């Protein structure tokens, strides 16, 4: 179980993002609301509810990296912090609901996109400071997810680029700098020692 420990309380959001990217999503849209956090995504190879449910209860690391990342994030927010969540997968007429104590299925109308909605501002331990929770999540995303390989937005603002970060992006005293080269056959470059 030590493999499921995360370094900061809000790091679970990064694990969910990693799981969705590893699962083949082409974009992730996150909404930070007063009572909940929602991740909207579409997977190229959609998971089944059974696969997610089985992975959630399996403490072993599996061959499916995407579900392992998802599980690590969900365990930290759902079990450790006792926050309810609802997972709606595209095309399914059932959703997975974690009440804070049990995982069950709920009948819903099928949708064309998938969403994971977490009530991390309200838990079985009582109400949390919603602005502080959202600020912690946004800080975690801005500091670590700017290298996300798919378009990632938080409340409609793109955060998946170096220039979008608060510490690496455009500012009064900073301008992002990077070097990229085109693919080509180049002569070998020798660098003298010393």
């Amino acid at each position: 179980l030590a493999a499921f420990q995360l370094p900061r309380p809000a790091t679970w959001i990064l694990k969910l993002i990693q799981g969705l990217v590893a699962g083949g999503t082409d974009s992730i849209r996150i909404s930070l609301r007063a009572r909940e956090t929602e991740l909207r995504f579409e997977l190229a190879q959609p998971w089944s509810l059974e696969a997610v449910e089985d992975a959630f209860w399996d403490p072993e690391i599996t061959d499916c990296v995407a579900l392992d990342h998802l599980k690590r994030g969900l365990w930290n927010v759902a079990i450790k912090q006792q926050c309810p969540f609802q997972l709606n997968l595209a095309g399914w007429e059932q959703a997975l609901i974690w009440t804070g104590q049990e995982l069950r299925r709920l009948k819903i109308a099928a949708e064309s996109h998938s969403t994971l909605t977490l009530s991390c501002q309200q838990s079985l331990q009582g109400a949390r400071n919603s602005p502080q929770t959202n600020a912690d999540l946004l800080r975690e995303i801005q500091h670590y997810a700017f290298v996300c390989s798919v378009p990632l937005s938080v409340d409609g603002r793109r955060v998946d680029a170096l220039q979008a970060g608060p510490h690496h992006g455009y500012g009064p005293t900073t301008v992002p700098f990077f070097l990229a080269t085109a693919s080509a056959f180049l002569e070998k470059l020798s660098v003298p020692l010393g």
Side-chain angles (χ1 to χ4, degrees), residues 7 29 49 60-61 71 82 98 109 115 121 158 179 192:
R29 293 182 301 277
L49 284 181
E60 299 297 323
I61 294 174
K71 175 173 56 175
Q82 296 183 327
W98 172 255
T115 57
Q121 289 79 355
R158 292 280 299 266
L179 178 65

Side-chain angles (χ1 to χ4, degrees), residues 17 19-29 40-46 112-114 148-153 158 160:
I17 292 168
L20 296 176
V21 170
T25 188
D26 58 358
S27 67
I28 303 169
R29 293 182 301 277
R40 183 176 282 230
F41 57 94
E42 294 185 32
L43 299 172
Q45 296 289 326
S112 61
H113 57 275
S114 299
C148 187
S149 60
V150 299
L152 172 65
S153 64
R158 292 280 299 266
D160 59 299

